[in-house]
Amino acid sequence: MPLVWQEARITAAVPETPRVRRLTLAVGWGKPFRAGQHVDVRLTAPDGHQAQRSYSIASSPTRPETIDLLIERLADGEVSGFFADVAEPGDVIELRGPIGGAFVWDPAEGGPLLLVGGGSGVVPLLSMLRHRAEGAPDVPALLLTSARTPDDVIAREELMRRDAEEPNFQLRLVLTRVPGGRRIDADTVRAALAALGTPAHTFVCGSNPFVSAASDLLVEAGLPARTIRTERFGG
Ligand SMILES: Cc1cc2nc3c(=O)[nH]c(=O)nc-3n(C[C@H](O)[C@H](O)[C@H](O)COP(=O)(O)OP(=O)(O)OC[C@H]3O[C@@H](n4cnc5c(N)ncnc54)[C@H](O)[C@@H]3O)c2cc1C
């Protein structure tokens, strides 16, 4: 069935990090989505100018009637600027979805599951982790994610709690803009693979340069390319 634009109401808008805002939307599509999928949003200015962008769903599919989006404010960003600074609870926006058939994980697929996210690229991986915790907590999973500083880590408290409490989940955090900071590199990839074991499924998400660099490192570390799925946010 073709996707149709529909109205969705913003029910909450709260800061997630200094650069990322979490929006909760009540959606009327009445159908389940899959962890990893995204939606398209469309804004229309009073003069008729329209702007359309994609945003991954951060929340778990077990709560399909409301979705959380985590939107990073980009310098001069037309749409992210609106969501970061202007949108408020009660506003109605146009949205269509859920979208995406390849970058999705269902508990039935099992694991081990390696999730690699750069910055806001962690968003669809959060949906997978939340779904896994509810539906398949025995599946071993490791999230390797990079952020600029500790304050920029999206869902930091949740991820640290999961790392401490969930026996089959491990968090590997890489900070890029702190003294001694680094990027995800061959060493961090090797250490993650040693800790997890060979993943059956690997998901990589972030900006174009991040996805290219991380995918190359994973292939160089010996992972078959066919087991690696990627989602590029642009940039
Ligand atoms: C499938 C998919 C899912 C996505 N999910 C999310 C999400 O969950 N959260 C989120 O914050 N974004 C997500 N994005 C990115 C989002 O769609 C927009 O591209 C982003 O918000 C920028 O839009 P803008 O209108 O603010 O910026 P624009 O006005 O389009 O661009 C402003 C400037 O930022 C640069 N730019 C554009 N996109 C990026 C980028 N991703 N990284 C770095 N620089 C960029 C442009 O080159 C330009 O210089 C997703 C993209 C895709 C394709």
Side-chain angles (χ1 to χ4, degrees):
M1 217 169 56
L3 287 170
V4 292
W5 289 101
Q6 57 180 278
E7 294 191 334
R9 183 176 299 278
I10 300 174
T11 60
V14 294
E16 172 74 26
T17 74
R19 294 158 47 86
V20 175
R21 199 165 182 224
R22 181 170 76 241
L23 299 182
T24 303
L25 297 159
V27 288
W29 55 40
K31 57 182 172 184
F33 64 89
R34 298 170 73 192
Q37 286 190 301
H38 64 274
V39 295
D40 287 343
V41 300
R42 184 168 70 181
L43 304 178
T44 306
D47 67 0
H49 168 71
Q50 289 192 321
Q52 183 183 320
R53 300 288 184 276
S54 301
Y55 292 102
S56 299
I57 303 171
S59 42
S60 167
T62 52
R63 200 193 64 185
E65 65 285 352
T66 61
I67 58 170
D68 283 349
L69 305 182
L70 289 161
I71 300 182
E72 178 180 7
R73 179 194 292 105
L74 295 182
D76 301 326
E78 184 181 10
V79 173
S80 64
F82 170 81
F83 284 115
D85 301 323
V86 180
E88 291 299 341
D91 290 352
V92 173
I93 60 162
E94 281 189 294
L95 171 151
R96 67 178 180 190
I99 301 169
F103 198 83
V104 294
W105 178 81
D106 299 309
E109 288 189 70
L113 192 56
L114 176 61
L115 307 176
V116 183
S120 57
V122 77
V123 174
L125 312 179
L126 278 177
S127 181
M128 294 179 194
L129 280 178
R130 290 166 173 167
H131 199 26
R132 172 201 155 278
E134 294 162 345
D138 294 339
V139 169
L142 187 147
L143 172 66
L144 174 59
T145 186
S146 76
R148 295 176 177 193
T149 72
D151 285 347
D152 291 306
V153 179
I154 291 173
R156 180 178 61 177
E157 283 178 21
E158 174 188 339
L159 291 172
M160 293 182 73
R161 179 180 52 76
R162 291 191 186 283
D163 187 43
E165 295 177 0
E166 294 180 13
N168 297 311
F169 171 66
Q170 302 177 67
L171 173 66
R172 291 284 189 280
L173 202 51
V174 174
L175 298 175
T176 59
R177 296 196 191 174
V178 294
R182 67 194 300 187
R183 292 174 181 270
I184 290 176
D185 57 19
D187 287 343
T188 48
V189 165
R190 246 194 315 271
L193 291 172
L196 179 68
T198 304
H201 311 289
T202 299
F203 292 86
V204 183
C205 184
S207 64
N208 289 336
F210 177 88
V211 170
S212 297
S215 304
D216 286 350
L217 289 167
L218 291 162
V219 170
E220 283 159 20
L223 289 193
R226 64 181 159 74
T227 66
I228 303 172
R229 284 174 260 184
T230 59
E231 184 95 287
R232 294 170 183 269
F233 277 7

